[in-house]
Amino acid sequence: MGKDMTEDQAGRLAPVITVDGPSGAGKGTVSRLLAQRFGWHLLDSGALYRLLALAAMERGIALDAEQALESLARELDVRFESGEGGSERIVMDGREVSGEIRSEECGEAASRVAANPAARRGLVALQRAFRKAPGLVADGRDMGTVIFPEAPLKVFLTASAGERARRRHKQLKEKGISANLAELESAIAERDRRDRERASSPLVPADDAVHLYTTRMSISEVVDELHRLAASRLGVGGSPGEPE
Ligand code: C5P
């Protein structure tokens, strides 16, 4: 473990809040807003699987090539930067790929890559390196079970498959990407099945995770609920709505 900002002077690890759950449960938006509110770092682990899939496709590496994917994962040259107006810029090998990795094709390829234990192993160190002071919000599928099993607050977000497909549809539309709702719903169901049934780090809640069913909750209600949990469990952030 590096002696940089990962540990404070008393040797304590920076706190982590893990936010796991299936696609479209709201993890990405909620995690970003919570990290902004606390001034913490954000790990979008799904983006790393998407980047790995894109890098593999560009190099002609098969999405089930164990060793090649593990080596590629260990060598990924990626940077997460904030662009204009607080937007996110993801740069791989010096090229901006923020839009490209959000396509359905890349999500599909990421889910195939993610079923490969060697590829998952290759991404562990990169993910853990995001844990820096003052804290980290980690968004994914196995953040609380595999990457940060000792996290002091673990949340598992979910919502009905129909609602998740509607959210995804809206998100894509906002980005000018057209998609068919029924096709999205079946693609989401298929991806969920693959994520849940894979042998390596399947999508399951950690035993000590707090479950939130978000179908009827707004984004800000979910963020406030996480803020309350963080305040009571970790003593950070004061109360939602109060100045810090
Ligand atoms: O969250 P996002 O849709 O960007 O993730 C893309 C894919 O990466 C998911 O469908 C899932 O298969 C995989 N993934 C994973 N473990 C994570 C994050 C994402 O298996 N921690």
Side-chain angles (χ1 to χ4, degrees):
M1 161 115 16
K3 284 283 170 197
D4 50 11
M5 293 165 64
T6 314
E7 293 178 9
D8 66 13
Q9 285 180 339
R12 283 182 297 251
L13 284 169
V16 185
I17 299 175
T18 60
V19 185
D20 288 306
S23 318
K27 303 181 307 287
T29 311
V30 163
S31 300
R32 182 167 35 81
L33 291 172
L34 191 69
Q36 273 169 7
R37 212 183 254 194
F38 289 173
W40 284 13
H41 300 277
L42 174 68
L43 165 59
D44 172 359
S45 60
L48 296 181
Y49 285 94
R50 287 169 183 264
L51 287 160
L52 181 57
L54 179 64
M57 291 188 290
E58 286 179 348
R59 287 166 176 75
I61 295 174
L63 299 179
D64 59 357
E66 307 239 333
Q67 290 317 314
L69 285 175
E70 181 170 1
S71 313
L72 186 60
R74 292 190 196 280
E75 285 158 18
L76 271 191
D77 171 18
V78 295
R79 287 198 314 273
F80 290 77
E81 300 172 349
S82 36
E84 274 169 40
S87 67
E88 179 191 52
R89 280 187 86 234
I90 303 178
V91 179
M92 182 166 69
D93 298 326
R95 180 179 113 235
E96 179 167 8
V97 292
S98 324
E100 217 171 315
I101 63 160
R102 299 298 169 194
S103 69
E104 284 305 293
E105 186 202 353
C106 212
E108 186 57 31
S111 139
R112 291 177 186 281
V113 161
N116 181 324
R120 303 196 72 86
R121 226 173 17 246
L123 286 176
V124 170
L126 179 57
Q127 294 177 83
R128 292 197 175 136
F130 278 77
R131 184 175 199 170
K132 289 183 180 168
L136 174 70
V137 181
D139 153 17
R141 307 290 191 291
D142 60 344
M143 299 295 99
T145 48
V146 176
I147 306 297
F148 303 110
E150 69 299 345
L153 174 57
K154 300 178 185 176
V155 181
F156 194 84
L157 289 189
T158 191
S160 69
E163 175 62 18
R164 291 188 286 120
R166 272 190 294 279
R167 290 177 187 173
R168 187 81 188 117
H169 188 250
K170 185 163 167 264
Q171 236 175 26
L172 289 171
K173 218 167 138 190
E174 281 163 8
K175 289 183 184 151
I177 303 172
S178 67
N180 174 294
L181 188 60
E183 279 172 17
L184 267 182
E185 194 167 339
S186 67
I188 281 184
E190 172 58 20
R191 208 185 296 172
D192 284 356
R193 190 195 56 72
R194 204 180 301 138
D195 286 350
R196 287 204 170 94
E197 292 177 3
R198 69 179 171 227
S200 171
S201 310
L203 170 66
V204 286
D207 291 340
D208 50 350
V210 177
H211 290 245
L212 273 186
Y213 189 66
T214 68
T215 302
R216 288 178 216 291
M217 288 173 85
S218 69
I219 295 286
S220 62
E221 283 170 338
V222 180
V223 177
D224 283 351
E225 182 57 27
L226 263 51
H227 189 154
R228 263 191 290 278
L229 286 165
S232 70
R233 301 252 184 123
L234 316 181
V236 294
S239 307
E242 263 179 21
E244 281 166 32

